[in-house]
Amino acid sequence: MNRNGPVDNRMTLSFVSKPENVAFARAVVAMFASQLDFTIDEIDEIKVAVSEAVSNAIIHGYEDQPGEVRVEAILSNGRIEVIVHDSGKGIADVAWATEPTHTSRPDERMGLGLVFIREYMDEMRVDSAPNQGTTVHMTKAPRSATARAH
Amino acid sequence: MKITTEQKRRALVVRIDGELDLHTSPILQERVAAAFTEYPNLRALVVVLSNVTFIDSSGLGALLACYRDLSALGKRFVLANPQAAVRRVLQMSGILNQIDVVDSEAQAVLRL
């Protein structure tokens, strides 16, 4: 997910880790993403992915205690990169936590959230360490742009 | 999010207007639990999703929790008329293997 070209636009949003702010975060990112040629379905997919990453930060990162969630979105090379960061408790074993067989249990909120991010975005990466917070990186390009490139 | 409830043929019909996420899902669970506590003779829950514009794993978790709580009491649970984006999330989660989904509220009530 290295940026290979100039950044066309960028925004950063920072807010308290309250459930009330999940809708706010996904709405802001969706409006920002609409600068690219995404379909309504693709915008809906971005909203789900942002909602999942921010919800995970609130529930698992901060375990419902007050903290700060930062959402950054970058438009470059015809795609959006969304970075959701918390400074919470972190994940000891990222590979295990994000493994599809572990995360696809429908009764496990965090796992299902990662399944949605993986399905709805083109790329996803989770960086985390115990007591150092978690950062979820995800990117998506409009399918129309992907089709033109091939 | 706005929730309205109505009793039809000993079923509780819950109509949701808005988004189901981490903030709003607990409200749905509380409303459902309170109704079934107040009216223990209710036999089923119909959740009408036609005006739900967004759902994520927190919303799914709330629906699953309602389903499990009611199943444990021997009561039925039906989802009615999800929009395409919501239906897609439901499908991907695997929840449709457990929970009945019908095309309309009327159809849901007729089934009970």
Side-chain angles (χ1 to χ4, degrees):
Chain A
M1 272 175 242
N2 296 322
R3 291 167 207 150
N4 297 317
V7 170
D8 299 322
N9 205 350
R10 177 201 298 267
M11 73 96 192
T12 304
L13 187 65
S14 180
F15 50 88
V16 178
S17 57
K18 286 179 173 250
E20 292 90 323
N21 289 329
V22 178
F24 164 66
R26 66 173 174 263
V28 169
V29 175
M31 288 191 72
F32 190 74
S34 66
Q35 294 173 49
L36 296 179
D37 195 18
F38 286 113
T39 63
I40 291 171
D41 284 352
E42 289 170 330
I43 293 287
D44 281 343
E45 291 169 354
I46 292 168
K47 284 171 76 174
V48 172
V50 171
S51 201
E52 299 299 352
V54 172
S55 296
N56 277 347
I58 294 170
I59 299 172
H60 299 291
Y62 292 116
E63 298 181 303
D64 296 320
Q65 298 301 306
E68 184 177 284
V69 180
R70 197 177 70 238
V71 177
E72 186 179 2
I74 299 153
L75 304 182
S76 66
N77 297 315
R79 67 178 189 171
I80 187 167
E81 178 178 3
V82 183
I83 302 156
V84 177
H85 175 76
D86 70 69
S87 302
K89 69 169 194 171
I91 303 167
D93 189 342
V94 174
W96 180 81
T98 58
E99 185 187 296
T101 50
H102 165 67
T103 59
S104 58
R105 288 165 45 205
D107 57 342
E108 214 290 317
R109 227 216 107 265
M110 177 180 182
L112 190 55
L114 293 177
V115 168
F116 284 135
I117 296 174
R118 198 176 278 116
E119 178 69 22
Y120 283 163
M121 301 297 278
D122 298 337
E123 297 174 283
M124 179 194 76
R125 191 183 77 231
V126 179
D127 296 329
S128 189
N131 302 315
Q132 291 179 39
T134 299
T135 304
V136 179
H137 302 256
M138 43 198 174
T139 67
K140 189 177 184 70
R143 266 174 225 122
S144 57
T146 313
R148 274 198 302 274
H150 289 93
Chain B
M1 182 188 66
K2 185 177 154 198
I3 295 178
T4 55
T5 60
E6 184 183 350
Q7 289 189 37
K8 281 187 178 178
R9 299 182 63 188
R10 291 181 70 186
L12 180 72
V13 177
V14 174
R15 302 184 191 93
I16 306 169
D17 213 320
E19 302 186 321
L20 270 178
D21 68 3
L22 184 64
H23 178 50
T24 56
S25 294
I27 301 166
L28 169 66
Q29 276 183 262
E30 285 163 19
R31 287 287 294 272
V32 168
F36 276 84
T37 302
E38 189 174 357
Y39 305 105
N41 289 335
L42 286 168
R43 289 189 302 206
L45 172 66
V46 176
V47 179
V48 183
L49 298 173
S50 43
N51 291 325
V52 172
T53 52
F54 176 89
I55 190 167
D56 62 11
S57 62
S58 299
L60 289 170
L63 294 176
L64 264 177
C66 290
Y67 164 74
R68 286 184 185 146
D69 291 349
L70 295 178
S71 293
L73 297 170
K75 300 177 192 296
R76 291 199 57 195
F77 181 99
V78 181
L79 296 174
N81 198 21
Q83 293 181 20
V86 170
R87 184 179 284 271
R88 197 173 151 209
V89 171
L90 295 174
Q91 276 167 342
M92 197 183 306
S93 70
I95 199 175
L96 300 185
N97 296 331
Q98 300 177 57
I99 297 176
D100 288 338
V101 179
V102 297
D103 289 338
S104 69
E105 177 185 327
Q107 203 179 334
V109 174
L110 275 177
R111 275 199 178 196
L112 302 172

